[in-house]
Structures are given as structure tokens and as C-alpha cells.
Amino acid sequence: GQNIDQPTEMTATEGAIVQINCTYQTSGFNGLFWYQQHAGEAPTFLSYNVLDGLEEKGRFSSFLSRSKGYSYLLLKELQMKDSASYLCAVMDSNYQLIWGAGTKLIIKP
Amino acid sequence: DGGITQSPKYLFRKEGQNVTLSCEQNLNHDAMYWYRQDPGQGLRLIYYSQIVNDFQKGDIAEGYSVSREKKESFPLTVTSAQKNPTAFYLCASTGLAGEVETQYFGPGTRLLVL
């Protein structure tokens, strides 16, 4: 079966750095997405990786290793507004998105 | 401003009742999707539509129905056959974010059973 694993919850301090991991087993791979979702709101697109390596976008970076079935989202200079759930999703061979359950990130002052 | 709208924000369903969730987009996107989100679980695909007058079942279509009569609209009906409908329902469409084709989401409808 297809499976995406992420930690359920993480806590970090304002101004610090946090890394949210995602491992996946899917039938085929056509890219990995990270979304941010504030409580009760819609997910919003953060990043996309289809080749191995690091993609940097401001305070957020995303890394992919296809051979290991592994990705991480790195958030730097954490701000209170970064408190949200972070969803990892993989596009499979049928171009459908398979979603992880999300990681709830709690930022403390 | 272009975007996806969903209504209502909250919806209450009584036993044996069918309810319809609205989803409208003015992004000129062809593909639209309905997901269900439950606590502790990933988004699960209910139905999707790649083009007007055509739609496909997702992973959990039982107890739901959809129509796609217009490009802009993709309503979801939760029928009485869906025994556990309490969830957060998200509508999405596919479009370009820069060079990446990704999904854009509406604000969601929270369905509660009375």
C-alpha cells in the first residue's frame, strides 16, 4: 500500500530552526509537495521537489532524497505565525496526491 | 481576485438527510477535487473531475455524489448513505504556482451531524 509518515507534533522556540521529516512509500513518484495549514483553514502550497537536493525559498527550505524515500522541510528564524500543521504529499504514478496526516508545529516564545 | 469559494462554512445534517456543499472557482482551472479531512489522518480523495461533464471516484466515494455541469462549479452531495459524515471538507483545483502545477484549496466546510 501507499504510505506517508510524518511526526504528529513538534515544538520549537521562536527564532530557532526546526526540521520536519517525511518518509514515503508510494506506487511511483512524480514529485513531493509541502503545504502549510493553519487551524480551521485551507492548506496553502509551500514547496515542490521532484529532483534530489535542496530547494530554498526564503526562510523555508525543502530537501528530497528519492532513493531513501525521504524529505524534510526546514524552517528558519521561526515566528509565532509559523504555528500550523505542515502536510507532506506525494504525487504517485497516476498523478494523484497521497497525503500524510500532517505535523502540528507549536512555536513557543 | 481569483480563488475558490466554499459554502457554507458550517453545515449541520440531520439523520437521513442529504446535504450539498458548494464549491466555485474563478481561476479557469479544468481539474477540481473534493477531499475529506479527519483529525489525525491525511486528506482523503472523495471525487475528482478533470473536465466538465466528467468525474471519477476517489478513494472514499461511497455515500457521496458530485456533478460538474459548469467549469466553475463542483458541488458535493453527502447522502444519507454516508454513515460518518462529520469532517472538514476541502475543495481544490489544479493550477500553476510559478512553474509548478499544484492544488489550490477553498476555505473548507465543516459538516456536523445533529
Side-chain angles (χ1 to χ4, degrees), chain A residues 34-80:
Chain A
W34 284 97
Y35 283 78
Q36 180 190 60
Q37 185 179 25
H38 285 98
E41 297 183 10
T44 55
F45 170 69
L46 286 178
S47 69
Y48 171 72
N49 295 70
V50 67
L51 299 175
D52 289 353
L54 189 68
E55 293 281 342
E56 296 186 80
K57 197 185 291 186
R59 294 189 298 114
F60 293 7
S61 303
S62 56
F63 172 83
L64 174 67
S65 168
R66 288 172 297 172
S67 62
K68 295 181 179 178
Y70 168 70
S71 172
Y72 67 73
L73 181 70
L74 191 72
L75 290 73
K76 303 176 186 176
E77 301 169 14
L78 285 170
Q79 302 174 10
M80 297 304 292

Side-chain angles (χ1 to χ4, degrees), chain A residues 1-104:
Chain A
Q2 307 201 91
N3 195 48
I4 308 239
D5 284 317
Q6 306 178 233
T8 302
E9 187 175 294
M10 299 182 70
T11 302
T13 305
E14 190 177 14
I17 299 173
V18 70
Q19 177 176 310
I20 302 174
N21 296 326
C22 171
T23 57
Y24 63 89
Q25 290 177 304
T26 56
S27 56
F29 179 84
N30 282 300
L32 185 143
F33 296 79
W34 284 97
Y35 283 78
Q36 180 190 60
Q37 185 179 25
H38 285 98
E41 297 183 10
T44 55
F45 170 69
L46 286 178
S47 69
Y48 171 72
N49 295 70
V50 67
L51 299 175
D52 289 353
L54 189 68
E55 293 281 342
E56 296 186 80
K57 197 185 291 186
R59 294 189 298 114
F60 293 7
S61 303
S62 56
F63 172 83
L64 174 67
S65 168
R66 288 172 297 172
S67 62
K68 295 181 179 178
Y70 168 70
S71 172
Y72 67 73
L73 181 70
L74 191 72
L75 290 73
K76 303 176 186 176
E77 301 169 14
L78 285 170
Q79 302 174 10
M80 297 304 292
K81 67 178 182 180
D82 297 330
S83 292
S85 288
Y86 291 86
L87 313 181
C88 173
V90 172
M91 185 167 284
D92 69 9
S93 56
N94 294 319
Y95 293 92
Q96 296 296 338
L97 282 177
I98 310 300
W99 294 83
T103 298
K104 183 178 180 181

Side-chain angles (χ1 to χ4, degrees), chain B residues 32-45:
Chain B
M32 297 186 73
Y33 305 79
W34 273 105
Y35 289 97
R36 170 179 171 142
Q37 187 174 36
D38 294 278
Q41 297 189 43
L43 300 182
R44 292 185 289 167
L45 183 64

Side-chain angles (χ1 to χ4, degrees), chain B residues 45-56:
Chain B
L45 183 64
I46 305 172
Y47 269 97
Y48 64 100
S49 169
Q50 303 277 33
I51 198 167
V52 175
N53 292 322
D54 187 50
F55 48 82
Q56 306 294 329

